Amino acid sequence: MNKALLTAACAAGVMAFSGAQAADPASNGSVKIGVLSDMSGVYKAIEGPGAVTAAKMAAEDFGGKVLGAPIEIVSADHQNKADVASSVARKWIDRDHVDMLVGMDNSAVGLAVQGLASEKNTITINTGAGSSELTESQCSKYGIHYVYDTYALPVGTATAMVKNGGKKWFFITADYAFGHSLRDNTSRVVEDLGGEVLGSIEAPLSTTDFSSYLLQASGSGADVIGLANAGGDTVNSIKQANSFGIVERGQKLAGMLVFLTDIKALGLDTAKGLEFTTAFYWDRNDESRKWSQRFFEKHGAMPTMVQAGVYSGVTHYLEAIKAAGSDDAKAVRAELGNMTLNDFFVQNGKIEANGLMSHDMYLAQVKTPDESKSDWDLLNIVSTIPAEKAYIAQSDSACPLLK
């Protein structure tokens, strides 16, 4: 009788333990999200600490829990080094049980981390890096490219400039994967529209003196000097071009990746009239204004498209966990692929099979000082670029997953 009672008690204990496990669908007792960004360098203002703020806002707005498990946000500085980023990502996944990584505002970092994480069945939502290779030749089953890519950027900017007479181009190119991809994709748009690329010169990341590059570009006789760089490099390029009087002499500058914080750093006197392509502007509608004001109160600056994209990406990731009833990467990725994404950042967005988040982009123009009514009233939205024109069609994609 005692033996029978002991057996029944053990069985009940096993059933209770199994039931507890089944009732806790979040692995390791929490859902942990890692924000991996440039916290101290040339891209700090673009994503950086603001991305951490956005991710924490998303977790808080979701209620701090998903499927009963707490949502944790961790962060690290990748220092714009692929090896540093890979080391952090490996530690986060293997030791700290991070479920999803977001950020990666450097294409070399983004490509390295996406490859590593997918091998370990971990989702990445790349909000900051631009290279279209993230969803083309180096696509992966758990990698998502969320905000923009180097294919979409020139569709608006280069098209507008070529149609307005900017036929001959010369590029100053950031010398790594992002810059090369942006230059190559912009060149394709220019040449498809009947323009001509006269040449390109490569500048190291975080260059402070662009004088020799600008003089060579100006001396090429190009109508347009294309800046295939970003962040502080773009700001320095434009400031120094202005001091050399390049625009005054009749040549145009094309910032192929420009952020709101860049315009703020340049000032309207220097940046007025500049056109560029963006995924988001805080003052576009009531919904974007409401969220952006909340972000401003926490961060002290209006959000860039990347920072807004972090909030959106994290929120939709949490919604996919809820829908899947689990934080298992395969199940969550499937749910993300089934969703139509709608919020203050994106309307009718779709995460494609190759990881591309396809959505509308916008051609923006910097206001003149007289047009601006407040500190962050910096842009006019000139036109909307439909998703089907902004991105590589799935039928044309080189992603091996689609073959």
Side-chain angles (χ1 to χ4, degrees):
M1 182 175 177
N2 289 340
K3 183 177 180 181
L5 288 171
L6 179 61
T7 300
C10 288
V14 169
M15 288 175 66
F17 178 76
S18 299
Q21 289 293 93
D24 180 16
S27 59
N28 301 296
S30 69
V31 171
K32 192 174 291 187
I33 296 167
V35 182
L36 185 56
S37 188
D38 178 2
M39 301 293 180
S40 56
V42 67
Y43 299 147
K44 177 182 176 181
I46 292 170
E47 194 168 68
V52 181
T53 298
K56 288 181 176 179
M57 287 175 65
E60 291 167 3
D61 289 350
F62 208 81
K65 292 184 177 182
V66 58
L67 301 180
I71 303 165
E72 299 181 45
I73 306 295
V74 298
S75 62
D77 186 352
H78 59 52
Q79 303 173 39
N80 288 302
K81 297 177 181 177
D83 58 341
V84 171
S86 295
S87 178
V88 171
R90 184 176 289 107
K91 177 177 73 71
W92 273 356
I93 296 168
D94 291 346
R95 191 192 73 182
D96 299 336
H97 308 296
V98 167
D99 298 288
M100 186 272 278
L101 282 74
V102 66
M104 286 81 75
D105 47 5
N106 175 302
S107 289
V109 165
L111 290 165
V113 171
Q114 176 173 285
L116 170 70
S118 280
E119 289 176 3
K120 295 178 176 291
N121 298 326
T122 300
I123 290 173
T124 53
I125 298 181
N126 200 311
T127 51
S131 176
S132 56
E133 291 306 300
L134 286 160
T135 55
E136 289 296 295
S137 64
Q138 297 191 51
C139 67
S140 65
K141 62 181 180 178
Y142 294 120
I144 294 168
H145 202 181
Y146 202 83
V147 176
Y148 71 97
D149 70 13
T150 53
Y151 183 95
L153 293 173
V155 170
T157 309
T159 299
M161 298 197 79
V162 173
K163 288 184 176 179
N164 287 327
K167 298 288 187 181
K168 296 179 180 180
W169 286 60
F170 188 98
F171 290 94
I172 297 175
T173 305
D175 191 14
Y176 73 109
F178 156 72
H180 299 167
S181 179
L182 184 53
R183 175 198 60 204
D184 294 346
N185 281 311
T186 305
S187 297
R188 174 192 55 78
V189 173
V190 169
E191 291 168 350
D192 285 349
L193 292 170
E196 179 184 3
V197 176
L198 302 181
S200 173
I201 187 169
E202 296 175 343
L205 182 66
S206 301
T207 296
T208 55
D209 184 1
F210 281 89
S211 57
S212 63
Y213 306 110
L214 287 164
L215 290 172
Q216 184 170 335
S218 180
S220 71
D223 302 318
V224 179
I225 299 173
L227 303 176
N229 52 19
D233 287 349
T234 299
V235 171
N236 286 333
S237 299
I238 295 175
K239 282 183 175 179
Q240 290 170 35
N242 189 60
S243 68
F244 293 155
I246 288 175
V247 175
E248 291 177 3
R249 292 197 298 270
Q251 290 175 302
K252 296 179 180 179
L253 295 178
M256 301 315 302
L257 177 56
V258 178
F259 292 89
L260 189 69
T261 47
D262 299 335
I263 304 305
K264 187 67 173 174
L266 287 165
L268 294 183
D269 282 326
T270 299
K272 61 186 177 186
L274 183 68
E275 291 186 338
F276 62 94
T277 303
T278 185
F280 173 81
Y281 179 47
W282 73 269
D283 199 21
R284 195 174 65 83
N285 58 35
D286 288 343
E287 195 176 7
S288 63
R289 282 189 285 272
K290 183 178 179 181
W291 182 86
S292 297
Q293 186 59 46
R294 290 177 54 218
F295 179 87
F296 179 86
E297 290 168 1
K298 293 176 179 291
H299 185 62
M302 284 298 180
T304 64
M305 63 174 173
V306 167
Q307 291 161 343
V310 168
Y311 180 98
S312 177
V314 169
T315 298
H316 284 109
Y317 171 73
L318 295 172
E319 288 175 350
I321 290 177
K322 184 177 179 180
S326 168
D327 65 357
D328 173 74
K330 184 176 181 180
V332 173
R333 178 63 183 86
E335 288 293 339
L336 285 167
N338 290 331
M339 287 180 173
T340 298
L341 311 186
N342 284 292
D343 59 17
F344 73 92
F345 173 78
V346 59
Q347 286 76 50
N348 299 316
K350 177 68 177 175
I351 298 176
E352 308 287 0
N354 64 351
L356 172 69
M357 201 276 273
S358 177
H359 60 285
D360 293 348
M361 298 287 285
Y362 306 97
L363 181 64
Q365 184 180 59
V366 179
K367 291 184 174 183
T368 66
D370 290 341
E371 290 179 299
S372 177
K373 305 303 181 186
S374 62
D375 282 349
W376 290 91
D377 180 23
L378 304 177
L379 305 179
N380 287 314
I381 298 300
V382 176
S383 61
T384 298
I385 306 163
E388 59 269 22
K389 291 185 177 180
Y391 294 98
I392 298 173
Q394 294 294 286
S395 58
D396 297 329
S397 176
C399 173
L401 297 176
L402 304 181
K403 305 302 179 185

